[in-house]
Amino acid sequence: MSAMYKSLPAFLFVFFVAPLSVSAQVVFTEIMYSPDGADGGREWVEVKNTSGSAIDLGGWKLFENETNHYIKAAAEGATTTLLSGGYAVITDNPASFLVDWSNFSGLLLDSAFSLGNTGETLVLRNGELVDVNTVAYDAALGADGDGKSLQFVGGEWVAAAPTPGKENEVTAPQNEPLMMSGV
C-alpha cells in the first residue's frame, strides 16, 4: 500500500472530524457578579452554545475561586442540554434567581459558587475537565452593585441592563445621541 493511502485516514480525521469537535463551543456571554443589594444567592452567569449541535452541560464544571463547581439541572428531572444557538443561565440559587427574574423561561442550571465583587477568572470546563472558555472580569469594567451585568458585546465586556437567557442588547448611553439612518 502506498504512503498516500496509509495517511488517508489521518487526513480524513483532520479535515472532517476534528473541525466538528473544535467548533463545539460554549462561551460566557453575561456575568451578574454584584447585583444591586445583597449578593447572596443572586449571582449568575450566562453561556451560549455557538456550535451547530446541542451540548449536554450535565457533568461540566464552572471553575472559580480555585474550585471546580458542578453544573446540574435547576429542577429535578429537567434537562441540562443546551441547544445550538441557545443560552443557559447558571446560578448559585435557582429559587432566588426566579424571584428576581420571574419571567425567565430558558434553560436554568444550578451550581455552587460565589463570584468575587472585585473580579476574578471564570473557566467553563467540559466533562473531561478540558477548559472550553475562560473570562476574567474586574469591577473596573462596571456592573458593580448598580443592577447592571457585564455583557459580551462586539468583542468586549460592557456594563448594561441584564438580559438573562437572551441575546445581549446594549443601547447608547443617554448622554450620547443615537445615530438615525434613513431620516
Side-chain angles (χ1 to χ4, degrees), residues 9 20 27 37 40 44 50-51 65 80 89 106 114-115 123 131 151 154 159 166 168:
L20 296 176
V27 296
W44 50 269
T50 62
S51 79
N65 196 23
T80 55
V89 171
S114 180
L115 302 178
V123 181
D131 294 359
Q151 300 178 20
K166 300 177 183 169
N168 298 331

Side-chain angles (χ1 to χ4, degrees), residues 2-183:
S2 76
M4 181 179 85
Y5 291 110
K6 288 181 182 176
S7 63
L8 187 57
F11 170 83
L12 292 174
F13 176 81
V14 169
F15 285 98
F16 293 105
V17 177
L20 296 176
S21 62
V22 171
S23 67
Q25 286 290 328
V26 179
V27 296
F28 290 106
T29 53
E30 191 168 356
I31 305 168
M32 176 58 86
Y33 71 95
S34 182
D36 188 17
D39 288 11
R42 297 180 58 230
E43 299 172 330
W44 50 269
V45 297
E46 177 190 77
V47 296
K48 180 179 183 180
N49 178 353
T50 62
S51 79
S53 304
I55 298 175
D56 186 357
L57 299 179
W60 283 42
K61 306 290 186 211
L62 174 63
F63 182 79
E64 72 81 44
N65 196 23
E66 302 301 317
T67 303
N68 279 316
H69 302 284
Y70 63 85
I71 297 174
K72 65 179 187 175
E76 188 70 31
T79 187
T80 55
T81 300
L82 181 55
L83 299 177
S84 173
Y87 293 89
V89 171
I90 305 168
T91 179
D92 66 328
N93 186 319
S96 293
F97 176 84
L98 291 172
V99 167
D100 289 346
W101 303 99
S102 58
N103 291 330
F104 182 82
S105 62
L107 180 58
L108 186 60
L109 302 172
D110 186 14
S111 191
F113 57 86
S114 180
L115 302 178
N117 286 353
T118 59
E120 67 179 303
T121 299
L122 304 175
V123 181
L124 191 61
R125 293 184 169 159
N126 68 18
E128 289 79 39
L129 297 180
V130 174
D131 294 359
V132 174
N133 192 236
T134 301
V135 63
Y137 69 91
D138 187 284
L141 294 172
D144 185 10
D146 60 6
K148 295 181 179 178
S149 64
L150 287 179
Q151 300 178 20
F152 194 68
V153 178
E156 64 182 338
W157 288 93
V158 297
T163 60
K166 300 177 183 169
E167 187 164 346
N168 298 331
E169 297 177 18
V170 175
T171 58
Q174 292 182 4
N175 61 348
E176 293 181 17
L178 292 172
M179 299 297 288
M180 303 290 283
S181 62
V183 177

